[in-house]
Amino acid sequence: MHLCLFEDPHVAGLRPLVDTRAVYDLRLGGRTLLETACDAFGPSGLVLHARPIVADVTRHAHSSAAVNVLPDGGDVLFVNGRYVAGAGEAFRHLTEAPARTEARAFVQNGSLVAAWVPEASARLPEDVLARPALTANVVRDLPVTDLDDATLLRRPWDLLDTLRPALARDAEALAGPPVQASLADRPHATTHESATSLREEQIHLGTGATIKPGAILNAEDGPIVLGANVTVHERAVLRGPCYFGPKTQVKIGANMEGVATGTWCKIGGEVHDAVLQGFSNKGHPGFLGHSVLGRWCNLGADTNTSNLKNDYGTVSAYAPDEGRFVDTGRQFAGLFMGDHSKCGINTMFNTGTIVGANCNLFGGDFPPRYVPPFSWGGASGFTAYRLDKACAVAERVMGRRDTPFTDADRALLTALFERTQDERAEHHS
């Protein structure tokens, strides 16, 4: 069985996080949507459908997968890239589908969640994966099962709802069952004798992980997973559930709870219920709560985010796909920042702030609650962030993490810059 993760028209609701990646490359906790789906369905082959703007970077990121090409003669389980694979009735239907000989579609409120299509290349249009988005219309001739409990991400803040459950699932998936040996008796890692730990069986240390003097790791309320070569510095406090990706540094005196980071992040200050997709820095004092940062972001020293309104009401946030503010339905919501964006020291972000990709923010006072991609400035006003300069900075920053800035990266940023000119014209005026 081949697994095909696809993008649908509702992907745009997850801007700015999907402006520079396919939706299934979003991090849930210790794993991405793609990794979670592959572990759940165990396919023999992987096919990825990606929007044209992100197709080339997706090919580069997943060189072993077929991108926008159906396998010849294979049976394919199509799964929406926004679907969070996990327990429940919907998941049971999808895992049982490949045992059947007949094709079937699975929908929720008109959205295609999945489809089981034996001999897919013979049944479906030849250009099916060349389309920018897949809808239920593609499999309109198939019998349909309605799914009530499928979890489909619709907005960036949905990642906060799935974060803690994902961290609990991912600890077992990535690190295995509870470990009985004490931290000091795990030879593949280094733990200083003055470090304090609670519920050590729920603390998982990757190869080369280092825990410095005075650090506190408390897994009473959930597992803590340190990836390979993670360093937890002196006096840092980690309260589970947490996942820190390979090479991440948890800085001196950090206060972490309900946090997930990708590879090679620097994280410090107070961070609660937040996701850093990877290669991003929040290394200084300051508060980051109920927030999601993309990759290659940098928050200057003493950057702070508000995650709760003074009236304790639900937070609204700007939806770029609709061009208006919408109710998040959440009492706690902070900052949602696209890839390659940076902010200067002492930056203050209001509740429910959306910052697009490749923004450079600085100056006093709060910046607007929506900053379109490629914006340069702050509360006193914005101008366009020059494309050539943005690409030069991206290349320099990625080089510091031993990651090449490819032709596909440059083409993607160029296309995004051109596509969002009208947004900048509207919001910079």
Side-chain angles (χ1 to χ4, degrees), residues 3 80 84-85 108 131 165 170 277 328 340 425:
L3 174 66
N80 196 314
V84 180
Q108 183 181 75
R131 304 176 187 188
D170 294 348
Q277 296 292 325
T328 68
H340 292 288

Side-chain angles (χ1 to χ4, degrees), residues 312-323:
Y312 286 63
T314 58
V315 177
S316 65
Y318 191 80
D321 61 314
E322 296 187 25

Side-chain angles (χ1 to χ4, degrees), residues 4-8 78-83 111-114 152:
C4 176
L5 297 178
F6 66 88
E7 301 198 280
D8 72 358
F78 293 84
V79 174
N80 196 314
R82 298 185 294 117
Y83 172 65
S111 292
L112 182 64
V113 177
L152 294 172

Side-chain angles (χ1 to χ4, degrees), residues 5-70:
L5 297 178
F6 66 88
E7 301 198 280
D8 72 358
H10 298 290
V11 164
L14 286 152
R15 291 187 61 201
L17 302 176
V18 296
D19 278 341
T20 47
R21 63 172 56 79
V23 66
Y24 38 76
D25 281 328
L26 287 175
R27 175 169 301 281
L28 290 170
R31 297 177 294 175
T32 63
L33 283 158
L34 183 153
E35 291 164 339
T36 302
C38 286
D39 289 344
F41 296 110
S44 59
L46 180 62
V47 179
L48 299 175
H49 167 257
R51 290 162 287 138
I53 192 171
V54 297
D56 284 344
V57 294
T58 302
R59 290 188 184 94
H60 186 267
H62 304 287
S63 57
S64 62
V67 178
N68 291 344
V69 179
L70 273 180

Side-chain angles (χ1 to χ4, degrees), residues 103-107 112 114-116 136 139-140 142-146:
R104 180 165 290 273
F106 301 88
V107 301
L112 182 64
W116 167 242
V139 289
R140 62 184 179 275
L142 300 185
V144 173
T145 295
D146 290 316

Side-chain angles (χ1 to χ4, degrees), residues 154-197:
R154 299 183 181 276
R155 295 293 182 189
W157 43 90
D158 289 349
L159 289 166
L160 302 178
D161 296 325
T162 59
L163 173 57
R164 289 190 178 234
L167 287 169
R169 290 195 307 269
D170 294 348
E172 182 175 355
L174 294 171
V179 181
Q180 300 307 317
S182 68
L183 299 190
D185 292 332
R186 301 183 196 181
H188 61 284
T190 302
T191 301
H192 193 271
E193 61 182 9
S194 66
T196 301
S197 56

Side-chain angles (χ1 to χ4, degrees), residues 199-254:
R199 292 289 304 275
E200 288 191 341
E201 71 277 9
Q202 288 208 99
I203 301 173
H204 305 270
L205 307 182
T207 300
T210 301
I211 302 174
K212 297 283 191 177
I216 300 174
L217 284 73
N218 183 351
E220 289 180 310
D221 295 330
I224 297 172
V225 180
L226 308 185
N229 299 308
V230 167
T231 300
V232 179
H233 286 277
E234 292 82 354
R235 296 184 291 103
V237 179
L238 279 56
R239 290 176 53 88
C242 286
Y243 171 83
F244 298 95
K247 297 185 179 181
T248 290
Q249 294 186 36
V250 184
K251 305 296 283 186
I252 293 173

